[in-house]
Amino acid sequence: MRYQVTVQPSGRQFTAEADETLLDAALRQGLTMPYGCKDGACGACKGHVQSGLVDHGKAQTHALTDTEKAAGMALYCCAKAQSDLSIECRQITSANQIPAKTLPSRIEKLEKLAPDVIELHLRLPASERLQFLAGQYIDILLKDGKKRSFSLANAPHDDALLQLHIRHVPGGLFTDQVFSTMKVRDILRFNGPHGSFYLREDSPKPMILVAGGTGFAPIKAIVEHAIAENCQRPMSIYWGARAKVDLYQNALPEQWAAGQANIRYVPVLSEPASSDAWTGRTGLVHQAVLADFPELSGYQIYACGAPAMIEAAKRDFMAQGLPEEEFFADAFSFSSN
């Protein structure tokens, strides 16, 4: 059975299968609701069921009392629909609505995506979940008190494992470890989420998403979130790299563009190798955007990459009419200290 759920006061709707929790159904379809443990223990996802019937599942009594159940309250991480529902729940639309947490995590997988890029998969303790907005980052906490920031490459609905794209910085305190001694089951502590780089869902404007190198990570999260919520805004994705090998997940945006009528993908290489036999766009990635969009006043731009790229992109995009408030950026700076 499949049921329709209406969320008040936003009026947004999603469908829930009889065997999935309301929270999982909402996240799967791109609706960002408050939650914490995802296990019926913390009460962060508690809300009022205005009409309809739910199965409360494994909700723990200290988080949801019998009196609260009788009053129509439910824990959305445990509750399953038994009819069409109207529920009350605030939608999370800005980063300051999500508190940062310090959590341990275990390395589940280390996957080499390119000679100098590893995708790190982190698993949280069974009783914990990290709530975040697509595009945000976490700080890996090192033993000496230093920290390293990495964007989350997964969308919020796909949070069983946290994905980080880590480029090797020779001599880098943390990245040297990732590429040499770090192994599956090692424990890492982190704090997050952080950052104001996330999808502004209240805008109808077409989007241009610009990634440089591993700046693809948060762009990936934003696009996958937009697809999950069936966002129909036009999305033009530009990914700039030196050579073809540096487009380390090139098949993924190609797949998005092939499967979604509103998505266009343009890879751009600045120094293609002779062995690449590259026939695509060349040069600086933000200049490819300028060539394709001589008038930017009606767009939103999300850009992530090296500070020099971000600075040049903002300057040149604004010169072609982009309103400053429609430029959202995350500058990746690398430290070896």
Side-chain angles (χ1 to χ4, degrees):
M1 289 291 293
R2 179 177 296 173
Y3 302 107
Q4 181 167 287
V5 182
T6 302
V7 183
Q8 300 297 353
S10 70
R12 293 184 66 179
Q13 295 182 320
F14 63 93
T15 58
E17 304 289 344
D19 62 350
E20 70 178 335
T21 68
L22 298 179
L23 177 61
D24 283 343
L27 293 175
R28 175 172 59 80
Q29 291 158 85
L31 277 77
T32 308
M33 300 164 66
Y35 67 90
C37 68
K38 262 191 169 181
D39 200 40
C42 73
C45 64
K46 190 183 301 181
H48 183 234
V49 179
Q50 297 176 326
S51 65
L53 299 173
V54 299
D55 175 352
H56 289 284
K58 61 180 180 181
Q60 298 180 33
T61 54
H62 69 270
L64 183 71
T65 66
D66 289 341
T67 302
E68 288 176 319
K69 285 181 184 178
M73 302 300 287
L75 298 182
Y76 297 142
C77 73
C78 299
K80 297 177 181 178
Q82 294 185 313
S83 70
D84 290 344
L85 300 173
S86 176
I87 65 174
E88 194 171 38
C89 180
R90 66 182 174 89
Q91 305 274 205
I92 292 179
T93 57
S94 67
N96 61 16
Q97 294 174 279
I98 304 175
K101 301 195 287 188
T102 297
L103 294 169
S105 63
R106 188 183 72 228
I107 296 176
E108 186 81 6
K109 184 180 177 185
L110 291 149
E111 181 180 359
K112 208 162 202 182
L113 302 179
D116 62 347
V117 178
I118 278 180
E119 185 172 59
L120 196 64
H121 296 249
L122 301 178
R123 183 177 294 279
L124 298 184
S127 61
E128 292 285 358
R129 280 293 187 274
L130 181 73
Q131 180 157 26
F132 60 95
L133 298 174
Q136 288 190 292
Y137 69 89
I138 60 173
D139 288 330
I140 300 291
L141 305 177
L142 308 182
K143 290 180 180 177
D144 61 0
K146 293 178 180 177
K147 59 188 180 183
R148 293 292 181 268
S149 302
F150 295 97
S151 293
L152 294 159
N154 53 298
H157 69 275
D158 179 26
D159 70 343
L161 299 174
L162 303 180
Q163 302 168 21
L164 310 177
H165 293 176
I166 299 177
R167 182 178 298 283
H168 188 205
V169 179
L173 180 66
F174 179 69
T175 67
D176 272 356
Q177 294 177 44
V178 174
F179 278 77
S180 58
T181 59
M182 203 163 282
K183 60 189 183 302
V184 170
R185 301 194 66 81
D186 282 355
I187 301 297
L188 291 175
R189 291 174 67 252
F190 70 84
N191 180 266
H194 299 291
S196 58
F197 187 69
Y198 55 85
L199 178 61
R200 269 56 178 185
E201 299 183 40
D202 56 352
S203 173
K205 290 185 176 183
M207 295 180 278
I208 301 170
L209 303 109
V210 187
T214 51
F216 178 67
I219 298 297
K220 172 182 177 290
I222 287 173
V223 173
E224 290 181 337
H225 174 69
I227 291 172
E229 69 167 5
N230 196 31
C231 173
Q232 294 302 307
R233 292 163 63 186
M235 288 181 275
S236 297
I237 304 163
Y238 287 75
W239 188 4
R242 290 188 304 275
K244 193 172 181 180
V245 68
D246 300 309
L247 298 172
Y248 53 82
Q249 286 188 327
N250 190 53
L252 188 57
E254 286 182 340
Q255 179 184 322
W256 296 332
Q260 308 285 327
N262 61 318
I263 294 181
R264 172 174 168 262
Y265 171 52
V266 181
V268 183
L269 298 185
S270 60
E271 302 172 26
S274 56
S275 59
D276 287 344
W278 184 252
T279 58
R281 303 284 286 274
T282 58
L284 298 179
V285 64
H286 90 280
Q287 290 180 347
V289 176
L290 294 168
D292 292 351
F293 296 90
E295 170 53 58
L296 289 167
S297 61
Y299 291 85
Q300 267 192 346
I301 290 185
Y302 296 83
C304 187
M309 183 199 101
I310 298 300
E311 185 179 338
K314 183 176 183 180
R315 179 193 67 229
D316 294 347
F317 292 161
M318 288 175 60
Q320 287 194 190
L322 181 75
E324 184 173 8
E325 65 272 14
E326 298 291 16
F327 182 77
F328 306 100
D330 190 0
F332 275 24
S333 57
F334 303 100
S335 174
S336 59
N337 296 327

